[in-house]
């Protein structure tokens, strides 16, 4: 599996604080079958990460994991806030693309409301040659109330990433139901951990994929679509959700 959203770079944001926490997160991910993780620190007003900071920490983590014998590939990336990202040059944004493929850019979907500039921002990024990947929209109340609203953004060229902890119930019933509805509507393309620390959404891709109860769709969300993104290729349309198993978390 490939995890395209994790806050695994020590000291850059609200993710892992130390190299020891990064190692613990990496070992957890590797143990559940994750081969590669994109390091996606926040890029926003309260955590104004610069591309050179991200790149330096990725290099440090790669060297440390090699020394420690941790078989997890660390990819470049960033979780870019839409409003803050508008202040960055196109060149800086390309350095934050997933695996630095110069196309797929992970965008932090707002937790509240539906910003009026959202569609326009997606169009502008697409015109610049980016493919916006919308992070965790199922955790937004407006999306939970009407998941089909994301259809417009997908038609404009965006992809959608849902969080493993939403799908397996760790983030509550409403986020879980929204995530499942997005899968039913074929509006979700990637499943990722959004791991922050060994205690906060440590990983869980395998558990979430199992909870889905659809091996083909799980493979698409955790292997096929992420691999296409890492390669900078077009992502195939999601397959239908063939089985919706009752999730006994509540």
């Amino acid at each position: 599996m490939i995890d395209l959203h994790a806050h695994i770079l020590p000291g850059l944001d609200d993710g892992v604080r130390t190299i020891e926490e990064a190692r613990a997160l990496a070992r957890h991910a590797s143990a559940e079958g994750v081969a590669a993780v994109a390091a996606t620190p926040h890029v926003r007003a309260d955590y104004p990460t610069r591309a050179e900071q991200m790149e330096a920490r990725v290099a440090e983590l790669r060297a440390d994991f090699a020394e420690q014998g941790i078989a997890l590939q660390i990819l470049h990336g960033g979780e870019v806030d839409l409003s803050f990202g508008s202040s960055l040059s196109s060149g800086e944004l390309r350095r934050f693309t997933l695996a630095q493929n110069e196309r797929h850019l992970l965008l932090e979907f707002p937790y509240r409301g539906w910003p009026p500039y959202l569609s326009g921002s997606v169009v502008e990024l697409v015109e610049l040659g980016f493919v916006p990947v919308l992070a965790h929209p199922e955790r937004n109340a407006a999306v939970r109330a009407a998941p089909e609203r994301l259809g417009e953004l997908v038609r404009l060229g965006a992809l959608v990433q849902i969080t493993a902890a939403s799908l397996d119930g760790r983030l509550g019933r409403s986020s879980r139901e929204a995530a499942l509805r997005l899968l039913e509507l074929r509006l979700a393309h990637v499943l990722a951990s959004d791991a922050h620390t060994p205690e906060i959404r440590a990983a869980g891709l395998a558990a979430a994929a199992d909870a889905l109860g659809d091996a083909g769709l799980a493979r698409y969300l955790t292997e096929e679509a992420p691999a296409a993104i890492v390669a900078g290729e077009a992502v195939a349309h999601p397959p239908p959700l063939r089985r919706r198993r009752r999730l006994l978390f509540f």
Side-chain angles (χ1 to χ4, degrees):
M1 296 184 289
I2 299 172
D3 186 355
L4 291 181
H5 185 174
H7 298 265
I8 196 171
L9 299 181
L12 282 186
D13 60 3
D14 58 348
V16 300
R17 292 151 293 196
T18 65
I19 190 66
E20 289 78 16
E21 287 188 348
R23 292 170 184 163
L25 206 59
R27 290 188 175 107
H28 188 163
S30 183
E32 67 170 2
V34 176
V37 168
T40 53
H42 288 296
V43 183
R44 65 189 193 195
D46 54 344
Y47 297 109
T49 307
R50 307 303 300 185
E52 57 267 23
Q53 292 177 296
M54 176 272 295
E55 291 164 345
R57 295 295 170 87
V58 166
E60 292 168 3
L61 214 57
R62 286 174 172 174
D64 181 83
F65 286 3
E67 183 178 330
Q68 294 292 320
I70 299 173
L72 185 72
Q73 183 181 6
I74 300 299
L75 308 172
H76 296 94
E79 184 182 11
V80 181
D81 174 78
L82 269 174
S83 57
F84 187 82
S86 64
S87 68
L88 302 180
S89 69
S90 177
E92 179 98 345
L93 289 175
R94 292 193 191 283
R95 292 167 71 183
F96 279 118
T97 53
L98 295 168
Q100 286 193 334
N101 68 11
E102 299 194 347
R103 293 189 65 202
H104 295 84
L105 186 67
L106 186 70
L107 300 178
E108 184 170 30
F109 200 89
Y111 287 98
R112 298 178 181 84
W114 188 278
Y117 57 79
L118 195 52
S119 295
S121 296
V122 167
V123 169
E124 184 177 354
L125 287 168
V126 170
E127 289 176 346
L128 289 171
F130 292 101
V131 179
V133 181
L134 306 177
H136 51 63
E138 80 284 353
R139 290 153 65 184
N140 173 289
V143 174
R144 292 199 300 266
E148 64 277 3
R149 291 187 70 179
L150 283 178
E152 175 194 2
L153 301 181
V154 172
R155 285 190 295 273
L156 291 173
L159 301 175
V160 172
Q161 173 255 303
I162 57 176
T163 304
S166 293
L167 190 56
D168 66 21
R170 283 176 286 160
L171 291 179
R173 183 185 298 273
S174 59
S175 291
R176 180 193 63 177
E177 288 300 317
L180 285 169
R181 184 59 181 148
L182 290 172
L183 291 169
E184 289 176 341
L185 294 169
R186 302 174 75 177
L187 293 177
H189 307 83
V190 173
L191 181 65
S193 70
D194 190 13
H196 275 64
T197 71
E199 297 80 29
I200 301 176
R201 292 188 295 279
L205 282 192
D210 181 65
L212 182 59
D214 182 334
L217 180 55
R219 185 167 54 252
Y220 168 87
L221 294 167
T222 62
E223 299 178 34
E224 295 168 3
I229 288 172
V230 169
E233 299 171 351
V235 173
H237 192 57
L241 176 60
R242 298 188 182 280
R243 179 181 170 200
R244 180 166 173 172
R245 185 170 66 190
R246 179 174 175 79
L247 306 181
L248 301 177
F249 289 94
F250 299 91

